[in-house]
Amino acid sequence: MTEYTGKVVHFLHRNGDFAIALMETEKGERIKILGSLYGVDKGEVVTVRGEWRTHPKHGKQFAVDRWERPMPKTRDQVVAYLSSKYVKGCGKKRAKLIVRHLGDRALEKIMNEGASCLIGIKGIGTKRAEQIAVSIKSSFELQKVMMALLPYGLSPSMVAKVYKHYGSQSVEVVQRNPYKLTELDLVGFITADEIAAKVGINPSSPYRIDAAIQYVLTETCYNGGHCYVPVDELICNVTSVLGRKSVVPEDTVRHGLEELAAHDRVVWEGDAVYPKHVNIYEVKLAQKLAYMAGRSGEAVSSAVIENEIRRYQAEHRMILAEGQRDAIREMFRRQIMILTGGPGTGKTTTVRAMIELYRRQHPKAHIGLAAPTGRASRRLSEVTGLSAETIHMLLGFRPGQEPEYGEHLPLPYDLLIVDEWSMTDIQLAYYLFRAISLRTKVVLVGDADQLPSVGPGNVLRDMIDAGIPHVRLTEIFRQAQESQIVTNAHRINQGKPIVADPEKDDFFFIEQEEPQRIAQLIERSILRLLDKGYGLQDILVLSPMKKGPIGTHELNKRLQTIVNPPSAKKAEWTIGERTYRQGDKIIQVKNDYEKGIMNGDLGTILEVGFARDEDGETDERILVCEFGGQRIVYTQDDLKNVQLAYAVTVHKSQGSQAPAVIMPVSTSHYVMLARNLVYTGMTRAERLCVMIGTKKALAIAIQNNQVARRNTRLKERIVALMKAGDDAHDRHRYADG
């Protein structure tokens, strides 16, 4: 293996951990180096080890197997290193003072003695000395950790995260128990299992069995929307996963599960096994909901409410439907209520009336409005004229911390209205209700026929089935009856076939069976809509699945090519199989509290370029994007949470509306053909819905009303607690009598 030490003069290419650069060696020759150069910056002196290779197109290149920063030797090198970005709290002036005080071997002295040797130097107190010492130690220590862990298949960025968490113990932790990496969410169980094999972990190791149980439990719950897994199913599936390497008996897995439950790392209730935190969410949420459901609203007489409803109708020159009036009455009578209804049944009108009538009774009241996604909250704000936030922003979620609002600091609202409640999973519902004061009146609005949340739980359905006060709007208003989108959505809900009137221009069904032809028709449809004046953000292409020729992955590639083709005028950035291009439509797929961008938010790429610092442009690539008027900068680490959004899944579209929706309906998506999925996709459309596929596939979906059962005990817990409350009330009343 050959070794060179020199300065990195220029980066020719960077893509993730991989880079190609020009290096000027100590002998003054320039060589081209390539490989994993994570953390190396332009102008930095490094030692690289590897082998020479000849590329048929690019010629002679030095393939780097490993690299390290050599310990600076001369006085000038030490000063340069101390004043570099790797050492916090030490500029050039302070660096010279340190070298003058400690000599040419200042770095070694600091590494060996720590902060104590710096205290006393002019301008360096205890806090700054510690900061400088820790920076120097971690910089060189990370190199050693990197070289030890990279051979196991970890990427440099993963190693950096491991080091951030475990520090100098990183190598020892990974070699003793590689499954710890799954706890940091760096790798899944399968990858950790491969590393464990390289390290030499016994296939029957308790570490392996524990990790497999947690992996299967978490994957089953979060992929299937379950709060728990039946114990026999869990043990069977864990045994199967472990069997990839060697046979592990079910009794051994059961014993491992018993140990995890005994140490409170999972919750085993009867025949159900919960992830610990999910069990806490379900239990605590049930307690709060049962308590609130048992409380009455406020002392406003029925006569006053009826009079206010009549006055509201007269002032607005409208007649509210009986269901709408019932909802208003329930809002005043109860502390918590649910309002549901399909499209065109007047949920928005009812919410506006609730707000106005409540405000009349309580002129100084604080009213809060929220929804699970940014798009849903913006729409709620538009239709009510009041400010609305995402539930996450409302609660003050912060990275790595508890939300700002909770039991010790309740939300400051007298009335809280939350829209799109069907999207809310057990975790978000728990955090919201934990922060709701017992003096706050709550109205939850949703459509019970839409898809349930992506995350664990079936909160809206469980609450309705448990008997939480509920009003369902069923009357379709005359104006809405003119919309084929509304009428067909209700027909689908009733199990009836759609009816498309060729005289109207708001609903079309284009017959096509071949998936490739469906994809071509989607392309033609989107181009036609753009020609007719629709903007890119006005069109939602919704697919039930991610894979296949009409899944979101392939559709995004095709639509990017025709809607935003490559051009010399547009910069682009390719990472793996994904290309980000200036002008692309994108979607955020995970909440980012620091940036203030939520899961499901849609945006546009404005620039593909390089970050700048005080010295000018750096080698770090970035995307500059626009989300609802807000400029957001993404680095490469952020891009795992950003995807193209020319086509999105129906699940990702929940909480959003768009003027036009295009949706394939094909038997190639057989496993996903369900009534609530087609209904949810169709009801995203405001003015135009185009379905492309076969009537056979649509009929299969309409007839499939077997909503996948979710393992949850929220309903049972609420019912039991409400009954216990009623029984206690009866006993108390009997004793008083």
Side-chain angles (χ1 to χ4, degrees):
M1 192 172 283
T2 310
E3 177 179 301
Y4 292 95
T5 298
K7 181 188 286 188
V8 176
V9 179
H10 176 64
F11 278 95
L12 302 169
H13 172 75
R14 259 191 168 175
N15 188 357
D17 300 332
F18 179 81
I20 303 172
L22 285 178
M23 170 187 269
E24 188 173 294
T25 69
E26 290 175 318
K27 294 181 180 179
E29 61 179 318
R30 288 201 169 191
I31 63 173
K32 189 187 290 184
I33 63 173
L34 74 160
S36 179
L37 299 172
Y38 178 88
V40 177
D41 288 311
K42 180 181 173 182
E44 190 174 357
V45 175
V46 293
T47 297
V48 294
R49 297 183 182 88
E51 296 175 347
W52 283 101
R53 294 176 188 168
T54 302
H55 189 276
K57 183 178 178 182
H58 301 293
K60 199 175 179 185
Q61 302 176 126
F62 188 76
V64 177
D65 180 66
R66 57 201 296 160
W67 67 269
E68 63 184 45
R69 295 184 183 93
M71 185 71 77
K73 298 183 181 74
T74 68
R75 182 171 288 247
D76 286 345
Q77 287 175 346
V78 175
V79 169
Y81 182 80
L82 282 169
S83 55
S84 73
K85 70 174 188 176
Y86 301 106
V87 182
K88 292 183 172 64
C90 184
K92 198 156 192 174
K93 187 176 178 183
R94 197 167 279 125
K96 288 179 178 178
L97 283 172
I98 290 171
V99 174
R100 191 181 306 157
H101 192 83
L102 300 180
D104 294 354
R105 303 187 70 178
L107 292 176
E108 293 173 52
K109 196 172 177 65
I110 295 167
M111 293 269 288
N112 294 330
E113 297 178 23
S116 60
C117 66
L118 293 168
I119 296 171
I121 298 174
K122 187 178 178 183
I124 301 179
T126 305
K127 188 175 178 181
R128 192 175 295 276
E130 190 65 34
Q131 189 181 32
I132 293 169
V134 167
S135 295
I136 292 169
K137 183 183 178 186
S138 63
S139 176
F140 287 100
E141 199 170 60
L142 176 57
Q143 272 182 209
K144 293 177 183 176
V145 171
M146 196 78 72
M147 292 307 105
L149 295 184
L150 286 178
Y152 294 137
L154 291 173
S155 70
S157 57
M158 285 180 184
V159 175
K161 288 172 183 172
V162 172
Y163 178 76
K164 186 177 180 181
H165 194 82
Y166 291 113
S168 59
Q169 304 298 310
S170 296
V171 177
E172 182 189 341
V173 167
V174 172
Q175 289 178 339
R176 185 178 71 249
N177 181 9
Y179 302 100
K180 284 281 186 184
L181 297 171
T182 63
E183 296 175 15
L184 300 181
D185 203 23
L186 293 177
V187 300
F189 173 81
I190 305 302
T191 304
D193 218 23
E194 297 298 330
I195 296 170
K198 294 176 184 176
V199 174
I201 300 292
N202 189 311
S204 296
S205 161
Y207 291 141
R208 183 169 185 255
I209 292 167
D210 289 358
I213 292 169
Q214 295 280 18
Y215 163 71
V216 172
L217 181 60
T218 303
E219 287 289 300
T220 306
C221 287
Y222 281 86
N223 289 342
H226 302 298
C227 290
Y228 69 84
V229 180
V231 64
D232 291 341
E233 178 187 326
L234 178 63
I235 290 171
C236 178
N237 290 342
V238 171
T239 304
S240 175
V241 166
L242 290 170
R244 293 169 57 254
K245 299 289 183 184
S246 65
V247 177
V248 178
E250 284 195 1
D251 285 349
T252 304
V253 175
R254 186 175 289 272
H255 177 71
L257 182 57
E258 288 168 350
E259 286 293 306
L260 284 174
H263 289 89
D264 205 25
R265 293 177 60 199
V266 300
V267 176
W268 188 346
E269 282 185 359
D271 65 345
V273 181
Y274 285 80
K276 180 183 175 181
H277 55 282
V278 176
N279 180 261
I280 292 170
Y281 302 151
E282 190 178 271
V283 170
K284 297 287 188 184
L285 177 61
Q287 290 170 351
K288 188 68 170 278
L289 290 174
Y291 183 77
M292 291 181 72
R295 287 166 60 92
S296 59
E298 55 190 287
V300 179
S301 72
S302 297
V304 169
I305 295 170
E306 296 305 318
N307 188 52
E308 287 294 344
I309 290 173
R310 284 193 294 272
R311 179 181 160 198
Y312 179 87
Q313 292 179 136
E315 289 177 355
H316 290 270
R317 296 183 178 181
M318 64 184 299
I319 299 295
L320 295 169
E322 184 57 33
Q324 294 177 306
R325 296 196 292 273
D326 278 345
I328 293 166
R329 294 173 190 126
E330 281 292 280
M331 177 199 65
F332 280 107
R333 279 200 295 258
R334 307 284 189 174
Q335 191 187 4
I336 180 172
M337 71 155 291
I338 301 168
L339 173 67
T340 65
T345 56
K347 294 195 299 292
T348 298
T349 300
T350 308
V351 168
R352 281 198 292 252
M354 284 177 167
I355 291 170
E356 187 171 329
L357 294 179
Y358 185 82
R359 182 83 77 190
R360 285 181 184 176
Q361 295 298 313
H362 308 282
K364 296 182 179 180
H366 290 91
I367 300 175
L369 300 178
T373 67
R375 284 175 290 166
S377 65
R378 283 192 290 275
R379 201 173 78 252
L380 181 61
S381 181
E382 288 166 7
V383 299
T384 61
L386 299 175
S387 176
E389 298 179 277
T390 65
I391 298 174
H392 291 87
M393 301 297 276
L394 185 85
L395 294 173
F397 267 77
R398 298 165 292 189
Q401 299 180 53
E402 281 285 293
E404 180 183 356
Y405 289 96
E407 288 171 312
H408 303 297
L409 181 61
L411 290 165
Y413 300 114
D414 301 291
L415 171 64
L416 177 63
I417 298 174
V418 185
D419 199 8
E420 297 287 355
W421 188 247
S422 64
M423 296 178 63
T424 308
D425 63 18
I426 195 80
Q427 179 182 22
L428 192 55
Y430 158 75
Y431 277 114
L432 177 64
F433 274 90
R434 188 181 70 161
I436 290 174
S437 162
L438 292 177
R439 67 174 179 81
T440 301
K441 186 182 290 292
V442 178
V443 177
L444 306 173
V445 185
D447 186 341
D449 297 313
Q450 286 188 24
L451 291 167
S453 60
V454 174
N458 199 357
V459 177
L460 174 59
R461 176 52 59 192
D462 282 350
M463 289 176 66
I464 292 170
D465 291 348
I468 302 291
H470 169 222
V471 174
R472 178 182 174 96
L473 303 178
T474 56
E475 183 179 333
I476 306 173
F477 284 85
R478 188 165 53 203
Q479 187 177 354
Q481 288 174 3
E482 297 173 7
S483 164
Q484 291 191 100
I485 297 168
V486 171
T487 55
N488 278 320
H490 284 279
R491 288 183 67 84
I492 285 174
N493 243 351
Q494 294 159 11
K496 298 176 182 177
I498 61 165
V499 175
D501 184 348
E503 298 298 315
K504 294 186 176 181
D505 60 359
D506 62 346
F507 185 90
F508 298 92
F509 192 99
I510 303 172
E511 290 262 11
Q512 180 54 242
E513 188 170 355
E514 172 58 40
Q516 290 291 350
R517 286 284 297 133
I518 292 174
Q520 291 168 6
L521 287 168
I522 290 172
E523 290 178 358
R524 285 167 56 184
S525 297
I526 200 169
L527 288 174
R528 183 167 180 177
L529 289 175
L530 291 170
D531 285 342
K532 290 180 74 172
Y534 284 86
L536 199 53
Q537 299 292 342
D538 296 334
I539 306 167
L540 273 178
V541 177
L542 305 180
S543 178
M545 297 179 73
K546 296 178 182 177
K547 297 179 181 178
I550 47 176
T552 57
H553 291 329
E554 282 302 313
L555 285 175
N556 269 315
K557 290 178 186 176
R558 297 181 70 132
L559 295 175
Q560 182 189 42
T561 301
I562 66 156
V563 174
N564 190 31
S567 161
K569 296 179 181 178
K570 298 175 190 169
E572 61 181 51
W573 182 6
T574 300
I575 300 175
E577 295 184 357
R578 192 178 296 165
T579 296
Y580 297 94
R581 187 174 297 136
Q582 189 177 346
D584 275 340
K585 183 179 179 181
I586 54 172
I587 185 170
Q588 176 79 15
V589 296
K590 189 176 181 181
N591 292 334
D592 188 324
Y593 306 115
E594 289 182 347
K595 288 182 169 56
I597 300 297
M598 297 294 116
N599 181 7
D601 281 352
L602 292 170
T604 305
I605 297 175
L606 300 178
E607 300 171 30
V608 180
F610 294 90
R612 301 181 67 85
D613 60 18
E614 61 271 15
D615 298 320
E617 197 173 82
T618 69
D619 294 307
E620 183 183 23
R621 300 202 74 170
I622 58 169
L623 291 184
V624 180
C625 306
E626 187 266 332
F627 285 85
Q630 185 180 1
R631 284 171 69 92
I632 302 293
V633 176
Y634 288 95
T635 63
Q636 179 159 335
D637 282 347
D638 301 324
L639 291 185
K640 62 182 180 292
N641 298 324
V642 180
Q643 296 175 3
L644 293 177
Y646 296 103
V648 298
T649 62
V650 178
H651 279 91
K652 279 290 178 197
S653 74
Q654 282 180 273
S656 66
Q657 296 286 135
V661 164
I662 303 170
M663 184 164 54
V665 186
S666 166
T667 50
S668 66
H669 289 158
Y670 187 84
V671 294
M672 294 296 289
L673 290 176
R675 185 185 296 179
N676 61 354
L677 187 134
V678 175
Y679 173 82
T680 301
M682 181 186 290
T683 53
R684 303 307 91 206
E686 292 173 342
R687 298 202 302 264
L688 173 66
C689 179
V690 180
M691 286 183 160
I692 306 173
T694 65
K695 293 283 179 67
K696 178 185 175 183
L698 183 57
I700 291 169
I702 292 171
Q703 294 310 311
N704 179 15
N705 198 29
Q706 300 300 310
V707 179
R709 183 179 175 276
R710 292 191 165 196
N711 298 332
T712 156
R713 290 181 173 168
L714 180 64
K715 170 195 162 185
E716 288 78 7
R717 293 185 198 278
I718 296 171
V719 169
L721 288 164
M722 288 171 68
K723 186 176 186 304
D726 289 342
D727 290 347
H729 179 71
D730 289 343
R731 287 195 300 272
H732 181 70
R733 188 173 58 184
Y734 179 76
D736 286 347

